[in-house]
Amino acid sequence: MAPEHFDVLIMGAGLSGIGAAYHLQKLCSSKSYVILEQRKQIGGTWDLFRYPGIRSDSDMLTMGYSFRPWTHPRAISPGDDIRSYIAGTARDEGIDRNIRFLHKIKTASWSSQHANWTVAAVRKMPDGGEEPVTLTCNFLLSCAGYYRYSAGYSPEFPNASRFQGRIVHPQAWPEDLDYTGKRVVVIGSGATAVTLIPAMARTAGHVTMLQRSPTYIVSMPEQDRIHNWLRRFLPAMWAYRLSRWKNVAYMTYVYQLAQHYPNFVKKGILKKVREYLGPDYDVETHFNPRYRPWTQRLCLVPDADLFEAIKSNRASVVTDQIEKFTEKGILLKSGKELEADIIVTATGLVMQILGGIELFVDGQRIDPGASLAYKGAMISGVPNLASVFGYINASWTLKADLICNYVCRLLNLMDRKGVRQVTPKNGGESAVANFVENFTSGYVERAVATWPKQGSKSPWRVYQNYFRDIVSLKWSSFDDGALEFSSPPKASTDPALAGRPLKKSVAQTFYPGQS
Ligand SMILES: Cc1cc2nc3c(=O)[nH]c(=O)nc-3n(C[C@H](O)[C@H](O)[C@H](O)COP(=O)(O)OP(=O)(O)OC[C@H]3O[C@@H](n4cnc5c(N)ncnc54)[C@H](O)[C@@H]3O)c2cc1C
């Protein structure tokens, strides 16, 4: 029996996958699509992460969808509200009917002869077993996020097994963890650490943030007062759009300022920290990073909650290195021992491309790390595939929206031209930079080799700039000399030919602008 076929297959039912489905329904209404999701619920990141205090670290006015206003009063929002915003979008737009849960995609194989993908997945059965599922599609849209779901990053700590208390990773937070009155040490000082420390400090005995080196931490109001004021007399969508542009402009300004005047921005951030923590606090040791602002993601805390927890002695910061774990806690290189009942290893994520699937084009295995990224959305030499990757210096959804809109316009163009295959072709451009450049966060550095590279010029550049991407993904012509459109002849019915590479001479190639 022929596998079930869809025009578009979306991998992942997180923020991006639901947004992608909305765009398809709106802009390519005649196309059939399905979403395959490995988990049993909508939400991706916002369903997986359940640690105390889980919240956004950018404002929801830019992290919300362009097409659905964010109407909660809190702009820095708890994970639950984000999850219900995503699920509400799926429900209200009828997208949830097209999701197949507990389907984990393993491989995708492109056949030029049939101009389609064969997608192999496994479905988790109620009895815990698995069964293989195969589908075909004309276009594969990866909305699988950017990290491994099965486990976070956990470095080996010497003697970890000797510790008598509990060791917990935020990516797998145990529901039954009771930390009331307990001594907690959180290893790390990234976004996750600064989120969960003030939340745990409310009931824990004491929470210590143990960091090897400091991070820039900036406080922002949890509520966007201008947005909440605008909502009093403007329709929700108008208030949202105005506030969204205000925040995009502000974030772009701050990022550019940090790029051009890093010392000025650094001084401003540290001055604020001193104001929060008082003149006697050792800001130099604990909050003065060795890197320039925005060469790693700035950590945002709502209404200075982390600083409040430190000021009230419910939390503290130790800047030191781990010698080894002991029965009672952690022995530091300085000789000091931190005693703990619970150790939280907020040591980060393992970045992963395309949901960890294996990719084949006409039988050849594709190594994304040896390819170039086209507009930060497609991969050189790989037909009919796009992947959503948001910004590292701004909200993810800004770029996700642009990529989904771009894919829809591309599909419509292909229909008008009557072509079935589109491939970004690298005609001699060299890789000159990593997918994410000038960014030194550990999780990025550990993974960049496996991600596509950037070339020296557009369309082979990956911008971290919303305004440049609007031009690149929304306003630029498809006729840029890099996209090759072709229409392989109709598939043969001879199964012996299936999957064989198409001879170049029989593939007819079109470029946009040709009639
Ligand atoms: C703790 C945390 C906080 C964050 N905070 C912010 C923030 O404040 N602002 C911001 O802009 N960004 C933030 N991010 C980045 C965040 O991931 C994005 O905002 C957004 O959630 C990404 O949505 P997504 O749908 O692209 O990916 P995800 O949310 O990761 O969803 C991907 C989906 O794809 C599914 N999937 C993956 N592989 C497969 C497969 N092989 N087969 C089937 N399904 C698969 C997953 O199960 C998941 O449901 C944060 C990330 C983390 C981890």
Side-chain angles (χ1 to χ4, degrees), residues 291-312:
Y291 55 86
R292 287 184 293 126
W294 269 125
T295 50
Q296 297 188 11
R297 211 174 153 108
L298 286 194
C299 281
L300 190 149
V301 292
D303 296 332
D305 63 356
L306 176 75
F307 302 125
E308 291 299 330
I310 294 171
K311 256 184 6 195
S312 61

Side-chain angles (χ1 to χ4, degrees), residues 11-17 36-39 41 43-46 49 51 54-59 63 103-106 143-147 149 192 297 349 352 354-357 388 391 394-397:
M11 171 161 55
L15 190 61
S16 307
L36 295 195
E37 167 55 53
Q38 65 185 354
R39 298 170 57 75
Q41 271 161 203
T45 297
W46 304 103
F49 280 86
Y51 56 75
I54 172 75
R55 57 160 172 80
S56 64
D57 61 2
S58 59
D59 68 278
M63 204 177 127
H103 281 66
K104 183 182 172 91
I105 302 181
K106 296 283 199 180
C143 295
Y146 65 103
Y147 61 87
Y149 265 69
T192 301
R297 211 174 153 108
L349 308 159
Q352 176 179 269
L354 296 170
I357 65 170
V388 168
Y391 294 117
S395 284
W396 181 274
T397 323

Side-chain angles (χ1 to χ4, degrees), residues 173-222:
W173 197 264
E175 265 176 50
D176 66 338
L177 187 71
D178 179 12
Y179 50 86
T180 315
K182 302 264 168 67
R183 295 162 303 170
V184 182
V185 172
V186 178
I187 302 173
S189 57
T192 301
V194 304
T195 300
L196 59 78
I197 288 167
M200 292 185 84
R202 278 180 213 126
T203 53
H206 186 81
V207 186
T208 307
M209 176 163 100
L210 171 59
Q211 57 177 10
R212 204 165 35 185
S213 56
T215 305
Y216 288 107
I217 298 179
V218 177
S219 171
M220 253 184 72
E222 188 178 45

Side-chain angles (χ1 to χ4, degrees), residues 466-487:
Y466 184 52
F467 295 99
R468 291 187 87 161
D469 273 331
I470 290 179
V471 176
S472 165
L473 289 161
K474 230 174 172 172
W475 295 345
S476 294
S477 159
F478 288 105
D479 189 3
D480 58 6
L483 278 189
E484 184 190 271
F485 291 83
S486 57
S487 236

Side-chain angles (χ1 to χ4, degrees), residues 362-427:
D362 294 327
Q364 299 278 333
R365 192 176 171 168
I366 299 295
D367 171 9
S371 319
L372 283 190
Y374 174 84
K375 296 197 177 211
M378 297 175 79
I379 299 176
S380 62
V382 182
N384 292 29
L385 176 132
S387 171
V388 168
F389 187 91
Y391 294 117
I392 44 139
N393 61 356
S395 284
W396 181 274
T397 323
L398 294 171
K399 185 142 184 182
D401 266 341
L402 287 178
I403 292 176
C404 295
N405 179 284
Y406 176 83
V407 167
C408 290
R409 291 194 306 116
L410 183 61
L411 291 173
N412 290 338
L413 175 84
M414 290 168 75
D415 282 353
R416 285 200 300 277
K417 292 267 172 209
V419 294
R420 294 190 290 142
Q421 181 165 326
V422 58
T423 315
K425 286 271 159 117
N426 176 9

